[in-house]
Structure formats: structure tokens, C-alpha cells
Amino acid sequence: MPELPEVETVRAGLADHSLGRPVQAVRVLDARSLRRHLPGPAHFEAALTGRALRGAYRRGKYLWLTLSEPDGALADEALVVHLGMSGQLLVRDEPGSELDNDSGDETEARAAFDEQPRHLRVALELGPAGATSAAGATGSMASTSRESTGQRLLFVDQRIFGGMFLSPLVPDVPAAVAANKAAVGEVAPGEVPERFLVPEAVKHIARDPLDEFFDPAAVRRKFLRTSSGIKKVLLDQSVISGVGNIYADEALWRARLHYAKPARTLSAAQTRDLLAAVTQVLRESLAAGGTSFDALYVNVLGESGYFERSLNAYGRAGEPCHRCAEAGRTSLIVREPFQNRSSYRCPHCQRAPRSR
């Protein structure tokens, strides 16, 4: 399942390629991908058409696009996208006038643009970026020639565990801002900046370690309130978001912690080291474009990430632990069952809790 680095890679791609474009038409090819949009496909199509893509945001594994009304005002709802197990958001730029009409370039480009990917569920027909784009959008307006042509934004999902839906925007001002400890003066009375608005359906999701307002002390307090194994807690999106099976195993390997160690038994130093490991793993994976074990995860241009080449634990059962090998020891990574999934660890570096 795509985790934070993969979703952030997609969000950044949308910010670079699609913001400021008006939605000219919507095609719903499979209503199952709109099962969380309770009013149905017809409402979904009508609600998006005529609005423009304004900003691209993410929290944990959820991403959303804020919308502009035709007059440029911020719409009161956002387009939420969850990639599920196999979801992809792909952009297809309409061929521009720079192509040589006397060669086969235009024909090939048009064929590529019109090609319908297998498992296409929803398609947004976008117009050129222009006056309908709103102020305050995430990222800057591009100035390349592609901005003067149309574009298609395609939601492709083989397993249909993901989906798209509209959700009302609600305030979610960080505690530090609300207490005037940060961003003083940014929140005027009765006004909430766009970056402090989240879809109502996403508000319960905790902030992730790459969020500027992530609060390690609050996470530590949640650890101390539960005897659940630390990996189970890391996967709880109401405690810390964006971490899935792959990056939990990688962070636990770096922090030398067994996945079943009760969260409340972690010392303050262990908690600090673990959160630092989680942050480091996520940043490194993001720099590599995410982790792609198969063709299901790609960025908006259809390109795979390559962080799987840097994994130390996940997927390496039977292979030597890198840390032990550097220390002159022989220890092989083991794979163990974990909540209908698998956990990977080094039996020397990550010893099981004594209580077990």
C-alpha cells in the first residue's frame, strides 16, 4: 500500500503539473471508486465541473485538492483521493502546437494522450491553466508551453480499494498556532488560512513526522498510554500518520527495537530515537521517489520509485543484516507473521521483549 513518501510524491507531481487548471468535464467509468461520495456519480461530476484545481495537500496517506469557484473564491469542499492498495493518479498533457504537423510526432502524441489505461476508473478533463486559477494555490504557476494546452487527470485503480470523494473543509489549526506560539498573526479572527483547512473526512488523521507542526511530545504521551506493541502503534493513523508496514519495519530496524515491545515501555531516549528513525526513513524514501515493488505504484508521470534498493529489513528475509555484517557478525533477517501481514527484523539487533 502506498505510504507517506509515495503519496507525497504524487501530491508534489500534481502541484507541479495540474494546479490552476479548470475542470471542464468529468468521466466516471466505475462508480465503485466513488463509494465514499454518497451523493453519487452525477453529483460528483456536476460539483467538480467548472471549478479549478487550486492547491495540493496531504496528511499521512490522504491527499486532497482544494478547488476554486469560477470567481476565484475558495470552494467550501475539497477533492479527496485515497490511493488504497493500487491507486494511481496520472497526468496526460494534450499535445501542443510545438509538434511538427508534417511528421509522425503529432499522431503519436495524440495517440498517447487518447490512450485509456487499463483499470481507469475516473477521468478529469482539465483546461489550460489561466485566469480561473486561484490565489493561494500550493506551488507556483508553471510557465512552460504545456500550461497553454489541456490535460487529463486519470485515477487508475486495479484493486479498487482506493477512491475519490468530495468532503467539506473544516478548520484544523495546530495547537501551537492557536496558542500564539507559532505563526503569530497568521490566523486572523474569523479567518482560517487555506493551509489550516482540512477535509472533514481527514481531520481524525494525526499529523505525520514531515509536518511542520508534528508534536513528538504528544506522540510520546500516546505511547505511554498503551501496552500495544510499538509497531501496531506506529501503524495507528490516529497516533502518527503516513507510516505503513514497510517504513515501520525500516524505522524499527534503525532504532534496534522489536515490533512487539510494548509502546509504554519505551524510554524517552528510545522514543526520540524511533521518531528520528521514522523521519529519516520517510525523508530518504521521499528523495528516492518512494518504494516500488511492482508496477502498481508510480508517480503522476508513470515513473517508479527506487527506495527498495536501500531497504535494510523489509523484504530481506534470509539475507544478512547490514549492521551485523559491518560489525563482523552473521545474523540473517527473519520474516515473522504480524496482523495478517509480515514483519522483518534482525534477531540479534532487535531482540524480542523479555515478557515474551
Side-chain angles (χ1 to χ4, degrees):
M1 176 179 289
E3 301 177 27
L4 184 153
E6 292 76 39
V7 178
E8 173 59 20
T9 298
V10 172
R11 186 212 66 79
L14 293 174
D16 287 342
H17 292 276
S18 300
L19 295 189
R21 294 180 177 273
V23 180
Q24 296 180 331
V26 179
R27 291 185 293 131
V28 178
L29 290 82
D30 194 323
R32 291 176 294 176
S33 291
L34 300 183
R35 60 186 174 276
R36 293 193 62 181
H37 187 76
L38 300 183
H43 179 275
F44 182 82
E45 295 172 1
L48 282 177
T49 303
R51 289 170 164 173
L53 306 185
R54 179 185 182 104
Y57 299 90
R58 177 197 52 76
R59 178 169 295 182
K61 305 174 188 180
Y62 280 88
L63 66 87
W64 66 91
L65 294 165
T66 54
L67 306 166
S68 292
E69 301 291 2
D71 63 0
L74 174 66
D76 61 3
E77 57 187 354
L79 174 61
V80 183
V81 182
H82 193 271
L83 299 179
M85 293 287 290
S86 58
Q88 303 172 351
L89 274 177
L90 306 175
V91 298
R92 296 285 186 267
D93 289 320
E94 186 176 12
S97 58
E98 73 278 2
L99 294 176
D100 184 355
N101 294 334
D102 295 329
S103 71
D105 292 347
E106 183 179 20
T107 300
E108 292 178 8
R110 173 58 62 176
F113 179 69
D114 290 334
E115 180 183 5
Q116 180 169 301
R118 190 180 181 189
H119 308 302
L120 176 63
R121 308 302 179 188
V122 182
L124 274 59
E125 302 284 347
L126 306 178
T132 55
S133 64
T138 298
S140 59
M141 292 291 295
S143 58
T144 60
S145 60
R146 72 167 185 262
E147 295 300 323
S148 62
T149 61
Q151 185 184 90
R152 286 180 180 148
L153 180 58
L154 309 176
F155 180 69
V156 178
D157 191 2
Q158 177 179 327
R159 300 176 184 172
I160 320 184
F161 290 147
M164 309 175 84
F165 59 96
L166 292 168
S167 180
L169 289 170
V170 296
D172 189 25
V173 180
V177 174
N180 293 321
K181 294 179 182 178
V184 176
E186 184 171 359
V187 182
E191 180 181 341
V192 179
E194 184 175 324
R195 73 189 188 106
F196 295 148
L197 295 172
V198 301
E200 189 173 40
V202 179
K203 189 173 181 180
H204 70 285
I205 302 295
R207 294 184 181 275
D208 61 68
L210 303 189
D211 190 306
E212 64 177 307
F213 294 107
F214 179 70
D215 187 353
V219 174
R220 166 72 173 161
R221 291 192 294 271
K222 291 179 179 179
F223 281 7
L224 294 175
R225 290 199 293 265
T226 179
S227 60
S228 295
I230 185 58
K231 180 175 178 179
K232 181 179 179 181
V233 178
L234 285 179
L235 297 179
D236 185 344
Q237 302 298 295
S238 67
V239 176
I240 178 173
S241 69
V243 181
N245 207 39
I246 297 174
Y247 301 118
D249 279 357
E250 289 300 299
L252 290 169
W253 181 87
R254 295 191 185 198
R256 301 173 182 250
L257 293 172
H258 190 283
Y259 59 85
K261 181 175 176 62
R264 68 182 182 186
T265 66
L266 267 66
S267 67
Q270 287 176 319
T271 299
R272 184 170 57 251
D273 290 346
L274 176 59
L275 294 181
V278 170
T279 303
Q280 183 181 41
V281 167
L282 293 177
R283 290 194 184 281
E284 290 177 7
S285 180
L286 180 58
T291 302
S292 299
F293 283 106
D294 52 34
L296 291 182
Y297 164 66
V298 293
N299 64 17
V300 298
L301 301 180
E303 301 164 338
S304 297
Y306 52 90
F307 186 69
E308 73 276 5
R309 304 173 192 172
S310 303
L311 296 175
N312 289 297
Y314 188 89
R316 298 190 63 248
E319 299 180 30
C321 168
H322 293 146
R323 183 165 48 222
C324 287
E326 290 177 359
R329 295 187 299 267
T330 300
S331 182
L332 303 181
I333 299 294
V334 296
R335 174 183 178 181
E336 298 173 336
F338 175 83
Q339 295 184 346
N340 297 320
R341 288 176 279 188
S342 297
S343 270
Y344 296 84
R345 69 179 180 94
C346 170
H348 178 85
C349 300
Q350 300 166 268
R351 298 184 184 276
R354 291 176 182 170
S355 59
R356 296 198 169 227

